[in-house]
Amino acid sequence: MSDSTLNPIKIGMIGAGAISGQYLAVIERLPILQLTAVADLDLTRAAEVAQKYGASALSVDELINSEDVDLVLNLTIPAAHAEIALQAIAAGKAVYGEKPLAATLSDGIKIIEAARAAGVRVGSAPDTVLGTGTQTARKAIDDGLIGTPISATATMITPGHERWHPNPDFYYQPGGGPLLDMGPYYVSSLITMLGPVRRVIGAASHTRPTRTIGSGARAGEIIDVAVDTHVTGVLVHESGALSTLVMSFDAAATKASNIEVHGSTASLVVPDPNRFDGDVELHEVGGEWTTLPVSAGYRDAGRGYGIADLAATPAGQDGRASGELALHVLDVMLSLLDSADQGVAVDVQTSCQRPDPVPLQDAPGGVVQS
């Protein structure tokens, strides 16, 4: 299937902050996507972006109800994700949002149920799992290169975002923390490779009551920490595989791989799930580490390929970066925090279909490469 056989999907973008630049760059270079409207609380910023990309600057309500918008790209803060998504769905629009799908599981469920009732599709970041990094690792697993998958480890350790972010407050308030901030990348990748999760066992710690902003106009200002800043746990996949997760804003650094997957005959090193590409390494029993050739995923992908994938997916089907997957990822993370708080294993309420693999190709709707 080539791009010329598909009608462009008309996108109305709500939120023109820092992350929007990465989406706009992808929208501009993929024919299957067309930006038609922009809304932002900062009306001047919305107007500047709209003018630059040949779109209309509208209010949120005008954008959601515009006949020139097929899909609402929801780049608002996490606390507003559900409200905007539900408004868009009520107007008959498809929705694609930044991660997480919603701030609470109940809001996430409302989004998915409303979309099903309205017959519209929902997608959500992260779409990094559609790139050649995670997809090449998934193909290696699916092709039996590691034997039976047994376990995985996922590690993200930093000293905290306040060192570089000029306004890091929300990272340390409810809805923030290392798991909800960075966990979507790691958990989405683990589910893409190993399938959905049925139970979690967690533990967490809250090591410092305050943080000091290290850059920008507020440098030196002390902010309160109201969430756990080191979260660890085990994800029990429905397949029986066990994933160990460590997400931390408390330590200096790590030399651990971002993700490793271990099977009965070999192990894989999987690249950073916050990136679309990267080397996948394989070590067979009795062998040594070798780098696998790129064999699956969207080449040269960027943020927004999940929208393009949705646009290229036949009507009546979910895209690979689906709302169903995002809801399950949210459920896994919140269940892990509940487990850490209660000190017991917690069953995950939702499940999902493992997303379809991405054959090696240049762009959603493009020609598959051999």
Side-chain angles (χ1 to χ4, degrees):
M1 183 184 295
S2 68
D3 287 337
S4 62
T5 67
L6 299 167
N7 293 323
I9 188 167
K10 298 177 181 178
I11 296 171
M13 185 178 75
I14 301 178
I19 193 66
S20 68
Q22 297 183 49
Y23 281 91
L24 291 167
V26 166
I27 291 170
E28 192 173 32
R29 68 182 171 91
L30 294 185
I32 201 171
L33 305 179
Q34 179 185 0
L35 184 71
T36 56
V38 180
D40 192 272
L41 292 177
D42 185 334
L43 301 180
T44 300
R45 181 163 62 183
E48 289 174 351
V49 172
Q51 182 178 22
K52 180 178 179 180
Y53 291 93
S56 300
L58 304 175
S59 69
V60 170
D61 286 343
E62 288 172 338
L63 185 150
I64 286 174
N65 291 288
S66 172
E67 295 183 358
D68 203 31
V69 169
D70 302 319
L71 176 144
V72 172
L73 173 56
N74 186 1
L75 303 184
T76 59
I77 61 173
H81 284 181
E83 178 183 358
I84 295 297
L86 290 169
Q87 287 181 26
I89 291 166
K93 311 294 187 186
V95 178
Y96 186 92
E98 251 303 317
K99 52 85 180 171
L101 177 67
T104 67
L105 182 61
S106 61
D107 278 346
I109 291 172
K110 287 178 184 176
I111 291 171
I112 300 304
E113 290 181 344
R116 287 172 181 163
V120 301
R121 295 192 290 185
V122 174
S124 177
D127 51 4
T128 46
V129 294
L130 306 183
T132 55
T134 296
Q135 289 294 320
T136 293
R138 174 189 172 145
K139 189 172 190 304
I141 295 168
D142 290 351
D143 288 349
L145 297 190
I146 69 168
T148 301
I150 297 169
S151 66
T153 60
T155 307
M156 192 286 302
I157 291 177
T158 75
H161 292 351
E162 74 279 1
R163 297 176 65 253
W164 56 268
H165 198 295
N167 295 292
D169 310 62
F170 67 98
Y171 289 115
Y172 298 103
Q173 296 301 312
L179 181 61
L180 293 180
D181 175 45
M182 295 300 295
Y185 300 104
Y186 290 80
V187 177
S188 295
S189 184
L190 291 169
I191 292 171
T192 295
M193 292 186 292
L194 300 174
V197 176
R198 62 182 175 87
R199 182 179 299 118
V200 297
I201 305 163
S205 60
H206 182 149
T207 56
R208 283 177 274 167
T210 62
R211 300 278 175 132
T212 302
I213 299 176
S215 66
R218 299 171 63 197
E221 183 179 334
I222 295 174
I223 59 174
D224 292 330
V225 176
V227 294
D228 288 322
T229 48
H230 184 99
V231 181
T232 187
V234 175
L235 315 182
V236 182
H237 293 265
E238 292 179 8
S239 66
L242 304 177
S243 292
T244 301
L245 193 70
V246 179
M247 301 279 114
S248 182
F249 284 166
D250 284 348
T254 179
K255 294 182 72 174
S257 304
N258 294 103
I259 296 178
E260 294 181 359
V261 181
H262 305 287
S264 56
T265 62
S267 293
L268 281 177
V269 170
V270 183
D272 185 351
N274 194 22
R275 294 177 52 195
F276 288 86
D277 56 9
D279 290 338
V280 177
E281 298 180 75
L282 176 74
H283 193 301
E284 296 178 325
V285 173
E288 58 186 25
W289 288 109
T290 59
T291 300
L292 296 179
V294 171
S295 60
Y298 291 124
R299 301 179 189 269
D300 302 317
R303 297 184 196 278
Y305 266 59
I307 309 171
D309 180 84
L310 182 66
T313 300
Q317 300 180 26
D318 287 332
R320 294 179 177 91
S322 69
E324 180 190 52
L325 172 60
L327 177 64
H328 185 54
V329 170
L330 178 64
D331 191 4
V332 169
M333 294 190 299
L334 294 177
S335 296
L336 191 61
L337 293 175
D338 284 345
S339 175
D341 182 57
Q342 299 171 28
V344 297
V346 170
D347 290 335
V348 179
Q349 297 180 41
T350 64
S351 187
C352 69
Q353 294 294 318
R354 188 172 176 232
D356 289 339
V358 181
L360 186 62
Q361 56 190 291
D362 289 330
V367 177
V368 175
Q369 303 297 313
S370 60

